PDB file of all heavy atoms in Angstrom:
ATOM      1  N   ASN C 870       0.843  -1.184  -0.005  1.00 94.00           N
ATOM      2  CA  ASN C 870      -0.003  -0.007  -0.004  1.00 94.00           C
ATOM      3  C   ASN C 870       0.883   1.243   0.002  1.00 94.00           C
ATOM      4  O   ASN C 870       1.762   1.381   0.853  1.00 94.00           O
ATOM      5  CB  ASN C 870      -0.914   0.003   1.236  1.00 94.00           C
ATOM      6  CG  ASN C 870      -1.989   1.044   1.179  1.00 94.00           C
ATOM      7  OD1 ASN C 870      -1.842   2.106   0.595  1.00 94.00           O
ATOM      8  ND2 ASN C 870      -3.123   0.743   1.805  1.00 94.00           N
ATOM      9  N   ALA C 871       0.657   2.145  -0.934  1.00 93.00           N
ATOM     10  CA  ALA C 871       1.449   3.381  -0.996  1.00 93.00           C
ATOM     11  C   ALA C 871       1.274   4.223   0.262  1.00 93.00           C
ATOM     12  O   ALA C 871       2.161   5.001   0.627  1.00 93.00           O
ATOM     13  CB  ALA C 871       1.036   4.195  -2.223  1.00 93.00           C
ATOM     14  N   GLN C 872       0.142   4.072   0.947  1.00 93.00           N
ATOM     15  CA  GLN C 872      -0.131   4.888   2.149  1.00 93.00           C
ATOM     16  C   GLN C 872       0.724   4.488   3.347  1.00 93.00           C
ATOM     17  O   GLN C 872       0.770   5.214   4.341  1.00 93.00           O
ATOM     18  CB  GLN C 872      -1.622   4.772   2.509  1.00 93.00           C
ATOM     19  CG  GLN C 872      -2.546   5.359   1.465  1.00 93.00           C
ATOM     20  CD  GLN C 872      -2.215   6.798   1.145  1.00 93.00           C
ATOM     21  OE1 GLN C 872      -2.142   7.650   2.030  1.00 93.00           O
ATOM     22  NE2 GLN C 872      -1.999   7.099  -0.140  1.00 93.00           N
ATOM     23  N   PHE C 873       1.399   3.322   3.278  1.00 94.00           N
ATOM     24  CA  PHE C 873       2.274   2.926   4.394  1.00 94.00           C
ATOM     25  C   PHE C 873       3.337   3.983   4.680  1.00 94.00           C
ATOM     26  O   PHE C 873       3.787   4.115   5.813  1.00 94.00           O
ATOM     27  CB  PHE C 873       2.989   1.611   4.057  1.00 94.00           C
ATOM     28  CG  PHE C 873       2.149   0.380   4.187  1.00 94.00           C
ATOM     29  CD1 PHE C 873       2.427  -0.749   3.426  1.00 94.00           C
ATOM     30  CD2 PHE C 873       1.081   0.322   5.074  1.00 94.00           C
ATOM     31  CE1 PHE C 873       1.660  -1.903   3.542  1.00 94.00           C
ATOM     32  CE2 PHE C 873       0.292  -0.824   5.188  1.00 94.00           C
ATOM     33  CZ  PHE C 873       0.593  -1.928   4.426  1.00 94.00           C
ATOM     34  N   PHE C 874       3.736   4.721   3.661  1.00 94.00           N
ATOM     35  CA  PHE C 874       4.881   5.627   3.802  1.00 94.00           C
ATOM     36  C   PHE C 874       4.484   7.018   4.293  1.00 94.00           C
ATOM     37  O   PHE C 874       5.356   7.778   4.734  1.00 94.00           O
ATOM     38  CB  PHE C 874       5.591   5.778   2.450  1.00 94.00           C
ATOM     39  CG  PHE C 874       6.115   4.492   1.877  1.00 94.00           C
ATOM     40  CD1 PHE C 874       6.298   4.335   0.515  1.00 94.00           C
ATOM     41  CD2 PHE C 874       6.429   3.418   2.705  1.00 94.00           C
ATOM     42  CE1 PHE C 874       6.788   3.160  -0.016  1.00 94.00           C
ATOM     43  CE2 PHE C 874       6.921   2.236   2.185  1.00 94.00           C
ATOM     44  CZ  PHE C 874       7.095   2.101   0.826  1.00 94.00           C
ATOM     45  N   VAL C 875       3.230   7.335   4.244  1.00 94.00           N
ATOM     46  CA  VAL C 875       2.769   8.704   4.561  1.00 94.00           C
ATOM     47  C   VAL C 875       3.004   8.990   6.050  1.00 94.00           C
ATOM     48  O   VAL C 875       2.592   8.233   6.929  1.00 94.00           O
ATOM     49  CB  VAL C 875       1.278   8.859   4.202  1.00 94.00           C
ATOM     50  CG1 VAL C 875       0.798  10.252   4.622  1.00 94.00           C
ATOM     51  CG2 VAL C 875       1.078   8.640   2.707  1.00 94.00           C
ATOM     52  N   ASN C 876       3.700  10.095   6.297  1.00 93.00           N
ATOM     53  CA  ASN C 876       4.004  10.574   7.665  1.00 93.00           C
ATOM     54  C   ASN C 876       4.909   9.636   8.448  1.00 93.00           C
ATOM     55  O   ASN C 876       4.904   9.647   9.679  1.00 93.00           O
ATOM     56  CB  ASN C 876       2.703  10.835   8.449  1.00 93.00           C
ATOM     57  CG  ASN C 876       1.889  11.948   7.851  1.00 93.00           C
ATOM     58  OD1 ASN C 876       2.421  12.941   7.359  1.00 93.00           O
ATOM     59  ND2 ASN C 876       0.569  11.786   7.872  1.00 93.00           N
ATOM     60  N   HIS C 877       5.716   8.868   7.743  1.00 94.00           N
ATOM     61  CA  HIS C 877       6.659   7.973   8.410  1.00 94.00           C
ATOM     62  C   HIS C 877       8.103   8.456   8.243  1.00 94.00           C
ATOM     63  O   HIS C 877       8.374   9.416   7.523  1.00 94.00           O
ATOM     64  CB  HIS C 877       6.496   6.539   7.889  1.00 94.00           C
ATOM     65  CG  HIS C 877       5.360   5.812   8.538  1.00 94.00           C
ATOM     66  ND1 HIS C 877       5.512   4.979   9.619  1.00 94.00           N
ATOM     67  CD2 HIS C 877       4.026   5.809   8.256  1.00 94.00           C
ATOM     68  CE1 HIS C 877       4.360   4.500   9.985  1.00 94.00           C
ATOM     69  NE2 HIS C 877       3.419   4.982   9.159  1.00 94.00           N
ATOM     70  N   ASN C 878       8.990   7.747   8.937  1.00 94.00           N
ATOM     71  CA  ASN C 878      10.409   8.106   8.969  1.00 94.00           C
ATOM     72  C   ASN C 878      11.201   7.235   7.993  1.00 94.00           C
ATOM     73  O   ASN C 878      10.916   6.051   7.834  1.00 94.00           O
ATOM     74  CB  ASN C 878      10.926   7.880  10.399  1.00 94.00           C
ATOM     75  CG  ASN C 878      12.383   8.261  10.567  1.00 94.00           C
ATOM     76  OD1 ASN C 878      12.891   9.125   9.862  1.00 94.00           O
ATOM     77  ND2 ASN C 878      13.048   7.629  11.513  1.00 94.00           N
ATOM     78  N   TYR C 879      12.200   7.832   7.363  1.00 96.00           N
ATOM     79  CA  TYR C 879      13.088   7.114   6.456  1.00 96.00           C
ATOM     80  C   TYR C 879      14.519   7.345   6.937  1.00 96.00           C
ATOM     81  O   TYR C 879      14.927   8.477   7.192  1.00 96.00           O
ATOM     82  CB  TYR C 879      12.958   7.642   5.034  1.00 96.00           C
ATOM     83  CG  TYR C 879      13.382   6.669   3.958  1.00 96.00           C
ATOM     84  CD1 TYR C 879      12.433   6.019   3.166  1.00 96.00           C
ATOM     85  CD2 TYR C 879      14.725   6.393   3.687  1.00 96.00           C
ATOM     86  CE1 TYR C 879      12.815   5.127   2.177  1.00 96.00           C
ATOM     87  CE2 TYR C 879      15.108   5.505   2.707  1.00 96.00           C
ATOM     88  CZ  TYR C 879      14.144   4.886   1.942  1.00 96.00           C
ATOM     89  OH  TYR C 879      14.527   3.991   0.951  1.00 96.00           O
ATOM     90  N   ILE C 880      15.245   6.272   7.114  1.00 97.00           N
ATOM     91  CA  ILE C 880      16.637   6.391   7.569  1.00 97.00           C
ATOM     92  C   ILE C 880      17.565   6.292   6.366  1.00 97.00           C
ATOM     93  O   ILE C 880      17.488   5.348   5.578  1.00 97.00           O
ATOM     94  CB  ILE C 880      16.988   5.284   8.585  1.00 97.00           C
ATOM     95  CG1 ILE C 880      16.073   5.392   9.810  1.00 97.00           C
ATOM     96  CG2 ILE C 880      18.446   5.392   9.008  1.00 97.00           C
ATOM     97  CD1 ILE C 880      16.249   4.289  10.817  1.00 97.00           C
ATOM     98  N   LEU C 881      18.414   7.300   6.210  1.00 97.00           N
ATOM     99  CA  LEU C 881      19.451   7.300   5.169  1.00 97.00           C
ATOM    100  C   LEU C 881      20.827   7.213   5.837  1.00 97.00           C
ATOM    101  O   LEU C 881      21.044   7.812   6.882  1.00 97.00           O
ATOM    102  CB  LEU C 881      19.391   8.584   4.328  1.00 97.00           C
ATOM    103  CG  LEU C 881      18.371   8.661   3.187  1.00 97.00           C
ATOM    104  CD1 LEU C 881      18.513  10.006   2.490  1.00 97.00           C
ATOM    105  CD2 LEU C 881      18.530   7.525   2.207  1.00 97.00           C
ATOM    106  N   ILE C 882      21.703   6.461   5.192  1.00 97.00           N
ATOM    107  CA  ILE C 882      23.062   6.321   5.728  1.00 97.00           C
ATOM    108  C   ILE C 882      24.055   6.755   4.655  1.00 97.00           C
ATOM    109  O   ILE C 882      24.518   5.945   3.844  1.00 97.00           O
ATOM    110  CB  ILE C 882      23.313   4.881   6.187  1.00 97.00           C
ATOM    111  CG1 ILE C 882      22.283   4.513   7.259  1.00 97.00           C
ATOM    112  CG2 ILE C 882      24.733   4.736   6.735  1.00 97.00           C
ATOM    113  CD1 ILE C 882      22.364   3.105   7.760  1.00 97.00           C
ATOM    114  N   PRO C 883      24.349   8.046   4.595  1.00 96.00           N
ATOM    115  CA  PRO C 883      25.299   8.537   3.584  1.00 96.00           C
ATOM    116  C   PRO C 883      26.693   7.964   3.822  1.00 96.00           C
ATOM    117  O   PRO C 883      27.144   7.827   4.963  1.00 96.00           O
ATOM    118  CB  PRO C 883      25.279  10.057   3.788  1.00 96.00           C
ATOM    119  CG  PRO C 883      24.035  10.343   4.569  1.00 96.00           C
ATOM    120  CD  PRO C 883      23.830   9.133   5.425  1.00 96.00           C
ATOM    121  N   ARG C 884      27.370   7.642   2.735  1.00 94.00           N
ATOM    122  CA  ARG C 884      28.759   7.214   2.793  1.00 94.00           C
ATOM    123  C   ARG C 884      29.619   8.243   2.073  1.00 94.00           C
ATOM    124  O   ARG C 884      29.117   8.993   1.218  1.00 94.00           O
ATOM    125  CB  ARG C 884      28.930   5.835   2.147  1.00 94.00           C
ATOM    126  CG  ARG C 884      28.131   4.739   2.852  1.00 94.00           C
ATOM    127  CD  ARG C 884      28.360   3.382   2.195  1.00 94.00           C
ATOM    128  NE  ARG C 884      27.921   3.373   0.811  1.00 94.00           N
ATOM    129  CZ  ARG C 884      28.591   2.809  -0.197  1.00 94.00           C
ATOM    130  NH1 ARG C 884      29.762   2.228   0.033  1.00 94.00           N
ATOM    131  NH2 ARG C 884      28.104   2.835  -1.431  1.00 94.00           N
ATOM    132  N   GLU C 885      30.894   8.282   2.380  1.00 93.00           N
ATOM    133  CA  GLU C 885      31.771   9.275   1.781  1.00 93.00           C
ATOM    134  C   GLU C 885      31.785   9.190   0.259  1.00 93.00           C
ATOM    135  O   GLU C 885      31.983  10.189  -0.436  1.00 93.00           O
ATOM    136  CB  GLU C 885      33.191   9.132   2.335  1.00 93.00           C
ATOM    137  CG  GLU C 885      33.329   9.560   3.780  1.00 93.00           C
ATOM    138  CD  GLU C 885      34.765   9.472   4.271  1.00 93.00           C
ATOM    139  OE1 GLU C 885      35.653   9.142   3.434  1.00 93.00           O
ATOM    140  OE2 GLU C 885      35.015   9.733   5.461  1.00 93.00           O
ATOM    141  N   CYS C 886      31.583   7.987  -0.281  1.00 93.00           N
ATOM    142  CA  CYS C 886      31.647   7.813  -1.728  1.00 93.00           C
ATOM    143  C   CYS C 886      30.351   8.226  -2.435  1.00 93.00           C
ATOM    144  O   CYS C 886      30.321   8.344  -3.671  1.00 93.00           O
ATOM    145  CB  CYS C 886      31.970   6.359  -2.069  1.00 93.00           C
ATOM    146  SG  CYS C 886      30.748   5.180  -1.475  1.00 93.00           S
ATOM    147  N   ASN C 887      29.272   8.439  -1.676  1.00 96.00           N
ATOM    148  CA  ASN C 887      28.025   8.855  -2.311  1.00 96.00           C
ATOM    149  C   ASN C 887      28.138  10.257  -2.870  1.00 96.00           C
ATOM    150  O   ASN C 887      28.684  11.161  -2.231  1.00 96.00           O
ATOM    151  CB  ASN C 887      26.858   8.820  -1.304  1.00 96.00           C
ATOM    152  CG  ASN C 887      26.472   7.420  -0.879  1.00 96.00           C
ATOM    153  OD1 ASN C 887      26.184   7.195   0.296  1.00 96.00           O
ATOM    154  ND2 ASN C 887      26.422   6.476  -1.794  1.00 96.00           N
ATOM    155  N   LYS C 888      27.592  10.468  -4.061  1.00 96.00           N
ATOM    156  CA  LYS C 888      27.599  11.795  -4.663  1.00 96.00           C
ATOM    157  C   LYS C 888      26.570  12.687  -3.984  1.00 96.00           C
ATOM    158  O   LYS C 888      25.441  12.247  -3.717  1.00 96.00           O
ATOM    159  CB  LYS C 888      27.296  11.693  -6.154  1.00 96.00           C
ATOM    160  CG  LYS C 888      28.358  10.957  -6.940  1.00 96.00           C
ATOM    161  CD  LYS C 888      28.002  10.921  -8.420  1.00 96.00           C
ATOM    162  CE  LYS C 888      29.107  10.194  -9.222  1.00 96.00           C
ATOM    163  NZ  LYS C 888      28.758  10.122 -10.672  1.00 96.00           N
ATOM    164  N   ALA C 889      26.941  13.918  -3.737  1.00 97.00           N
ATOM    165  CA  ALA C 889      26.062  14.840  -3.025  1.00 97.00           C
ATOM    166  C   ALA C 889      24.743  15.036  -3.761  1.00 97.00           C
ATOM    167  O   ALA C 889      23.669  15.083  -3.140  1.00 97.00           O
ATOM    168  CB  ALA C 889      26.757  16.186  -2.836  1.00 97.00           C
ATOM    169  N   GLU C 890      24.815  15.108  -5.085  1.00 97.00           N
ATOM    170  CA  GLU C 890      23.573  15.314  -5.856  1.00 97.00           C
ATOM    171  C   GLU C 890      22.642  14.099  -5.804  1.00 97.00           C
ATOM    172  O   GLU C 890      21.424  14.238  -5.852  1.00 97.00           O
ATOM    173  CB  GLU C 890      23.904  15.678  -7.310  1.00 97.00           C
ATOM    174  CG  GLU C 890      24.666  14.601  -8.108  1.00 97.00           C
ATOM    175  CD  GLU C 890      26.169  14.786  -8.033  1.00 97.00           C
ATOM    176  OE1 GLU C 890      26.662  15.355  -7.031  1.00 97.00           O
ATOM    177  OE2 GLU C 890      26.840  14.364  -8.996  1.00 97.00           O
ATOM    178  N   ASN C 891      23.244  12.901  -5.658  1.00 97.00           N
ATOM    179  CA  ASN C 891      22.414  11.700  -5.547  1.00 97.00           C
ATOM    180  C   ASN C 891      21.745  11.593  -4.185  1.00 97.00           C
ATOM    181  O   ASN C 891      20.599  11.139  -4.068  1.00 97.00           O
ATOM    182  CB  ASN C 891      23.252  10.454  -5.840  1.00 97.00           C
ATOM    183  CG  ASN C 891      23.653  10.341  -7.291  1.00 97.00           C
ATOM    184  OD1 ASN C 891      23.073  10.991  -8.150  1.00 97.00           O
ATOM    185  ND2 ASN C 891      24.636   9.521  -7.568  1.00 97.00           N
ATOM    186  N   LEU C 892      22.455  12.008  -3.152  1.00 97.00           N
ATOM    187  CA  LEU C 892      21.850  12.052  -1.823  1.00 97.00           C
ATOM    188  C   LEU C 892      20.701  13.046  -1.793  1.00 97.00           C
ATOM    189  O   LEU C 892      19.652  12.773  -1.215  1.00 97.00           O
ATOM    190  CB  LEU C 892      22.895  12.419  -0.774  1.00 97.00           C
ATOM    191  CG  LEU C 892      23.934  11.339  -0.448  1.00 97.00           C
ATOM    192  CD1 LEU C 892      25.067  11.930   0.387  1.00 97.00           C
ATOM    193  CD2 LEU C 892      23.281  10.169   0.292  1.00 97.00           C
ATOM    194  N   GLU C 893      20.901  14.185  -2.424  1.00 97.00           N
ATOM    195  CA  GLU C 893      19.834  15.182  -2.459  1.00 97.00           C
ATOM    196  C   GLU C 893      18.647  14.671  -3.274  1.00 97.00           C
ATOM    197  O   GLU C 893      17.490  14.915  -2.919  1.00 97.00           O
ATOM    198  CB  GLU C 893      20.367  16.492  -3.056  1.00 97.00           C
ATOM    199  CG  GLU C 893      19.371  17.657  -2.991  1.00 97.00           C
ATOM    200  CD  GLU C 893      18.893  17.909  -1.574  1.00 97.00           C
ATOM    201  OE1 GLU C 893      19.696  17.819  -0.634  1.00 97.00           O
ATOM    202  OE2 GLU C 893      17.687  18.207  -1.421  1.00 97.00           O
ATOM    203  N   PHE C 894      18.938  13.929  -4.345  1.00 97.00           N
ATOM    204  CA  PHE C 894      17.860  13.324  -5.131  1.00 97.00           C
ATOM    205  C   PHE C 894      17.057  12.354  -4.272  1.00 97.00           C
ATOM    206  O   PHE C 894      15.832  12.350  -4.308  1.00 97.00           O
ATOM    207  CB  PHE C 894      18.443  12.570  -6.328  1.00 97.00           C
ATOM    208  CG  PHE C 894      17.452  11.658  -6.999  1.00 97.00           C
ATOM    209  CD1 PHE C 894      16.560  12.152  -7.940  1.00 97.00           C
ATOM    210  CD2 PHE C 894      17.383  10.313  -6.653  1.00 97.00           C
ATOM    211  CE1 PHE C 894      15.609  11.320  -8.533  1.00 97.00           C
ATOM    212  CE2 PHE C 894      16.448   9.481  -7.233  1.00 97.00           C
ATOM    213  CZ  PHE C 894      15.568   9.965  -8.180  1.00 97.00           C
ATOM    214  N   MET C 895      17.753  11.525  -3.482  1.00 97.00           N
ATOM    215  CA  MET C 895      17.044  10.554  -2.624  1.00 97.00           C
ATOM    216  C   MET C 895      16.160  11.268  -1.606  1.00 97.00           C
ATOM    217  O   MET C 895      15.045  10.838  -1.331  1.00 97.00           O
ATOM    218  CB  MET C 895      18.048   9.652  -1.923  1.00 97.00           C
ATOM    219  CG  MET C 895      18.600   8.540  -2.789  1.00 97.00           C
ATOM    220  SD  MET C 895      17.353   7.382  -3.400  1.00 97.00           S
ATOM    221  CE  MET C 895      16.737   6.674  -1.861  1.00 97.00           C
TER     222      MET C 895
END
């Protein structure tokens, strides 16, 4: 269900090798 995500938390774990623009996209 797409509604599972509404008003919930998402954890991101940036790594040094990740591109800044890709993190911003995510």
